[in-house]
Amino acid sequence: MKRDSRLSGVLHVLLHMAELDRPVTSEVLAKAMTTNPVVIRRIMAGLRDQGYVRSDKGHGGGWSLACDLSRVTLRDVYDALGRPSLLALGNRTESPGCLVEQAVNAALGQAFDEAETLLLSRLGDVTLAMLSADFHARLVARGGSHDLETVHAT
């Protein structure tokens, strides 16, 4: 089963955007994320609807941040993505009348619910500013500078 990495990808894009003092096109973001510009535009539209990014058309246009990084949590971004499934595991539902399946699903369902609650809580504790600070500490430790293309090359 393929993992859903949209949250990780969108956080990645947002942090790069935070480092730039200019709008970034969907094409540049897509190249950095090894995806199609249409995918970037679709994801960014949801973030724009929540007020986290804005888009400017025309020459020199593109996507830029429209929020304070200290006020946006990973949970906020997760919600803006439409709350994709957090867990790859799920209950079997082929025989809903089977008492064994019911017992197994009840136990697993409770564990899944508890895990999801904990994960959502943790996502709500981490802001984009905290991620940015971690990035900067890593950048200083490496002795490098930030550039969208060169960070991905190293």
Side-chain angles (χ1 to χ4, degrees):
M1 172 189 286
K2 187 174 190 277
R3 291 184 181 212
D4 184 338
S5 62
R6 284 179 294 166
L7 179 58
S8 177
V10 127
L11 294 170
H12 194 126
V13 164
L14 291 173
L15 287 182
H16 276 299
M17 291 171 59
E19 296 301 313
L20 302 171
D21 58 357
R22 67 185 188 288
V24 186
T25 65
S26 299
E27 288 74 19
V28 168
L29 293 172
K31 183 178 178 187
M33 297 308 301
T34 318
T35 191
N36 189 296
V38 172
V39 172
I40 295 292
R41 283 190 284 274
R42 188 178 314 126
I43 290 171
M44 298 301 271
L47 296 174
R48 181 183 54 214
D49 293 345
Q50 297 300 314
Y52 301 140
V53 298
R54 67 178 161 267
S55 60
D56 298 311
K57 296 181 189 241
H59 182 70
W63 297 100
S64 55
L65 288 177
C67 63
D68 178 348
L69 296 183
S70 67
R71 296 180 159 266
V72 180
T73 67
L74 277 58
R75 170 73 188 263
D76 295 329
V77 177
Y78 165 78
D79 289 341
L81 289 174
R83 298 179 175 204
S85 179
L86 289 171
L87 303 174
L89 297 174
N91 286 329
R92 185 176 190 278
T93 58
E94 283 75 11
S95 303
C98 175
L99 298 179
V100 170
E101 185 172 288
Q102 290 173 17
V104 169
N105 288 352
L108 289 177
Q110 182 178 354
F112 294 157
D113 290 345
E114 291 170 5
E116 190 168 289
T117 298
L118 180 63
L119 181 54
L120 289 173
S121 174
R122 179 65 179 130
L123 292 177
D125 292 340
V126 179
T127 66
L128 294 179
M130 293 164 77
L131 290 182
S132 180
D134 183 34
F135 160 72
H136 281 274
R138 292 169 190 270
L139 186 64
V140 167
R142 182 184 283 181
S145 63
H146 180 265
D147 177 86
L148 192 58
E149 285 80 21
T150 59
V151 167
H152 279 275
T154 58

